[in-house]
């Protein structure tokens, strides 16, 4: 088969919406589709369209632990969107296309490892499902995810917090001013993966100029140092100046240039809620840039309404870049210090709110520090919602687990089960690629 520049997967999920008046509804991609058809994009010789298949449950459970199970939380639309991302990844890994863009919804980057419900419009994480599928079936090793959505990709960060083979870079509107209220520079990964979570919280009013300085002086050099096999772009279009859910000033041209410089192997659509004024232009700009085509004429009809970036914002961003560069340069020392600080076990407690499901989760997470493997993690989780209470204990065994970690993780689940404090018990064994339910109800 002749190699094309860009594989395109399009799945607008006509039967899935947060509600009929919510911006996360099917019209979100209809204007984009009209724009692509009008421009004749699908007829371009550089582009090949792929149909999304449905992701298998095994693909989802390689990443997520649904409490009590994913079956009650996940709709067909989620499985097709995840299947679309996998299709895009496969097109690139097989060499059929140089790059691929999965224009799919629902989005996924707020979905964490443990799933009790839907938060930030996300139930399962499309990028992580794709990456883990490619690792399992196509021999991919090191991966970098660059999350360019205006909201912090807290779900993706959570899934890869202890994985030193996955670099997660997110730039986003500062969590003090926007959902989900995280993504600060202090969040740098668990000790075994310290430094491979890299957050760049940007001030309100950041425009093309600020975004491109961050890209040129921070994101691209960090990527060059990490040397990933694959670069994935969580492509959220809500940094656009017309987006109703955020406060940034990026244009379609700014996004097109971003795609051109980033040279992501696979982009997966995330947010973007200016469904008529921004999405058709931003998506088209990215698509043309990824296909190596001219995107200079992709301009919003109301672009004069885009506010200029202020001098204060520029100064703030310059300082932030200097600080973040310094941290990246010192990462090996900082990691050693972090490992020494925690000793054998790292732990944290936190609350996770599922804003779309009205569920509150309390979590206690531990990570075993091991010199022979990446260490196993334990998650003690309980949630409260209209169903009452649910609680579970899960152990996550890494791909390269040593014998001792494997044994400890299994023992931890069995002793939790014997103590009987929870309703559900799981072992997510990434070595055998299997999610075991221990004794609990399915
Ligand atoms: Zn977003
Ligand atoms: Zn170990």
């Amino acid at each position: 088969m002749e190699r094309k520049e860009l594989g395109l997967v399009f799945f607008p999920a006509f039967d899935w919406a947060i509600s009929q008046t919510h911006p996360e509804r099917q019209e979100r991609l209809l204007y984009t589709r009209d724009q692509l058809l009008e421009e004749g994009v699908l007829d371009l010789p550089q582009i090949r369209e792929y149909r999304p298949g449905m992701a298998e449950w095994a693909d989802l459970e390689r990443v997520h632990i649904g409490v009590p199970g994913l079956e009650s939380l996940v709709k067909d639309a989620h499985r097709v969107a995840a299947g679309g991302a996998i299709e895009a990844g496969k097109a690139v890994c097989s060499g059929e296309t140089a790059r691929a863009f999965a224009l799919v919804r629902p989005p996924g980057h707020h979905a964490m490892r443990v799933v009790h419900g839907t938060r930030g419009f996300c139930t399962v994480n499309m990028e992580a499902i794709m990456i883990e599928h490619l690792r399992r079936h196509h021999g991919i090793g090191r991966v970098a995810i660059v999350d360019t959505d205006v909201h912090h990709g807290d779900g993706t960060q959570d899934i890869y917090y202890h994985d030193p083979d996955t670099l997660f870079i997110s730039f986003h509107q500062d969590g003090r001013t926007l959902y989900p209220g995280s993504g600060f520079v202090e969040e740098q990964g668990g000790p075994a993966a310290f430094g491979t979570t890299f957050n760049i919280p940007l001030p309100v009013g950041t425009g093309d100029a600020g975004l491109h300085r961050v890209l040129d002086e921070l994101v691209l050099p960090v990527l060059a140092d990490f040397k990933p096999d694959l670069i994935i772009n969580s492509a959220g279009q809500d940094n656009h100046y017309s987006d109703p859910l955020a406060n940034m000033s990026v244009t379609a041209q700014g996004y097109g240039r971003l795609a051109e410089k980033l040279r992501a192997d696979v982009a997966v659509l995330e947010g973007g809620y200016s469904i008529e004024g921004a999405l058709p232009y931003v998506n088209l700009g990215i698509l043309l840039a990824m296909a190596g085509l001219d995107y200079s004429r992709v301009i919003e009809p109301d672009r004069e309404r885009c506010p200029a970036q202020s001098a204060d914002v520029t100064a703030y961003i310059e300082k932030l870049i200097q600080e973040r560069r310094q941290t990246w340069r010192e990462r090996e020392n900082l990691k050693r210090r972090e490992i020494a600080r925690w000793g054998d076990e790292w732990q944290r407690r936190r609350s996770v709110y599922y804003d779309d499901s009205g569920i509150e989760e309390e979590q206690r997470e531990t990570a075993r520090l091991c010199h022979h493997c990446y260490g196993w993690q334990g998650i003690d989780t309980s949630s409260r919602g209209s169903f009452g209470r649910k609680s579970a204990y899960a152990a996550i065994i890494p791909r390269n687990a040593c014998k001792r970690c494997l044994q400890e993780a299994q023992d931890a689940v069995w002793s939790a089960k014997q103590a009987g404090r929870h309703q559900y018990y799981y072992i997510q064994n990434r070595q055998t690629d299997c999610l075991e339910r221990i004794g609990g109800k399915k």
Side-chain angles (χ1 to χ4, degrees):
M1 203 190 283
E2 184 204 355
R3 185 175 134 125
K4 303 273 187 179
E5 282 307 310
L6 186 73
L8 183 67
V9 183
F10 192 78
F11 178 62
F14 291 119
D15 59 350
W16 184 86
I18 290 284
S19 80
Q20 286 315 311
T21 52
H22 193 282
E24 187 53 83
R25 63 183 193 274
Q26 55 274 31
E27 283 88 347
R28 246 193 89 205
L29 285 185
L30 293 185
Y31 293 106
T32 291
R33 191 183 65 171
D34 290 349
Q35 185 84 4
L36 301 188
L37 291 176
E38 201 172 297
E39 300 282 329
V41 161
L42 300 176
D43 302 325
L44 292 170
Q46 292 86 351
I47 291 172
R48 174 178 293 138
E49 198 184 359
Y50 288 84
R51 291 198 178 283
M54 251 205 205
E56 303 285 339
W57 289 109
D59 288 315
L60 275 56
E61 291 186 340
R62 192 175 288 126
V63 171
H64 295 290
I65 299 162
V67 182
L70 288 175
E71 298 84 352
S72 57
L73 304 165
V74 167
K75 303 275 185 282
D76 283 352
H78 297 110
R79 292 177 64 195
V80 181
I86 290 173
E87 208 56 51
K90 275 162 61 178
V92 172
C93 287
S94 67
E96 285 178 19
T97 67
R99 300 171 205 294
F101 189 7
L103 272 165
V104 297
R105 59 181 288 278
H109 74 150
H110 296 303
M112 300 187 172
R113 182 168 302 277
V114 171
V115 180
H116 288 270
T118 303
R119 53 191 304 279
F121 323 147
C122 302
T123 312
V124 290
N125 194 299
M126 309 311 165
E127 290 85 339
I129 292 168
M130 168 184 66
I131 290 165
E132 296 313 314
H133 179 98
L134 297 178
R135 278 193 166 130
R136 194 76 202 170
H137 299 290
H138 298 269
I140 297 301
R142 284 165 84 77
V143 177
I145 304 161
V146 182
D147 189 319
T148 55
D149 190 282
V150 77
H151 302 95
H152 176 231
D154 55 351
T156 314
Q157 170 172 306
D158 175 70
I159 292 165
Y160 290 111
Y161 211 60
H162 303 285
D163 181 357
D165 294 331
T166 307
L167 171 67
F168 174 69
I169 304 177
S170 179
F171 62 75
H172 44 263
Q173 186 175 321
D174 194 313
R176 289 171 295 188
T177 60
L178 193 69
Y179 182 90
S182 57
F184 299 106
V185 296
E186 298 80 17
E187 298 158 33
Q188 297 182 87
F194 200 75
T196 57
T197 291
F198 195 82
N199 284 308
I200 308 164
L202 296 172
V204 163
T206 299
D208 290 355
L211 184 140
H212 279 273
R213 287 201 66 167
V214 165
L215 195 65
D216 296 341
E217 296 174 32
L218 209 47
V219 175
L220 296 178
V222 165
L223 282 173
D225 286 347
F226 187 75
K227 299 184 180 61
D229 297 338
L230 214 56
I231 298 175
I232 309 301
N233 179 204
S234 279
Q237 327 303 27
D238 36 14
N239 281 291
H240 193 267
Y241 62 83
S242 67
D243 198 275
L245 301 191
N247 317 91
M248 302 299 236
S249 304
V250 175
T251 67
Q253 282 296 306
Y255 267 111
R257 255 191 317 136
L258 163 75
E260 188 178 22
K261 289 181 188 172
L262 188 60
R263 299 181 60 77
D265 297 286
V266 185
V268 180
L269 181 71
E270 282 295 338
Y273 302 97
S274 174
I275 59 179
E276 199 173 354
L279 275 181
Y281 305 99
V282 176
N283 285 331
L284 179 63
I286 292 175
L287 189 154
L288 293 175
M290 286 185 82
L293 296 165
D294 176 25
Y295 57 87
S296 64
R297 283 169 303 148
V298 182
I299 289 171
E300 305 85 335
D302 68 346
R303 199 173 69 175
E304 75 285 350
R305 286 182 45 213
C306 176
Q309 182 178 301
S310 74
D312 283 353
V313 166
T314 303
Y316 182 100
I317 291 173
E318 275 172 19
K319 190 159 162 279
L320 178 70
I321 290 172
Q322 294 317 317
E323 288 168 5
R324 297 270 59 206
R325 281 174 71 99
Q326 182 73 17
T327 309
W328 179 252
R329 277 197 294 266
E330 292 172 3
R331 66 191 179 282
E332 292 302 332
N333 276 334
L334 295 170
K335 180 172 175 174
R336 274 193 288 276
R337 210 162 69 187
E338 192 70 3
I339 289 171
R341 179 161 87 95
W342 286 100
D344 287 343
E345 191 182 80
W346 170 96
Q347 46 178 287
R348 73 172 164 186
R349 283 178 183 278
R350 59 184 177 150
S351 307
V352 179
Y353 185 57
Y354 295 76
D355 49 309
D356 301 309
S357 308
I359 296 170
E360 286 172 54
E361 179 192 4
E362 294 299 326
Q363 218 185 75
R364 182 172 168 274
E365 186 185 2
T366 58
R368 181 73 155 103
L369 273 70
C370 177
H371 297 298
H372 306 290
C373 73
Y374 295 160
W376 66 278
Q377 295 109 50
I379 298 178
D380 187 315
T381 170
S382 63
S383 69
R384 212 172 50 194
S386 56
F387 47 80
R389 284 175 182 278
K390 286 187 294 192
S391 77
Y393 181 79
I396 295 135
I397 294 168
R399 283 185 294 281
N400 65 349
C402 70
K403 272 196 175 132
R404 191 191 66 179
C405 284
L406 188 63
Q407 193 61 51
E408 272 186 23
Q410 286 167 337
D411 291 349
V413 174
W414 282 103
S415 59
K417 163 91 176 111
Q418 258 157 11
R421 283 194 312 271
H422 304 284
Q423 294 157 280
Y424 308 100
Y425 303 90
Y426 307 90
I427 298 176
Q428 190 181 53
N429 189 334
R430 312 190 70 195
Q431 216 164 35
T432 57
D433 194 32
C434 166
L435 178 70
E436 289 176 64
R437 296 166 167 86
I438 309 295
K441 295 158 278 181
K442 198 177 174 181

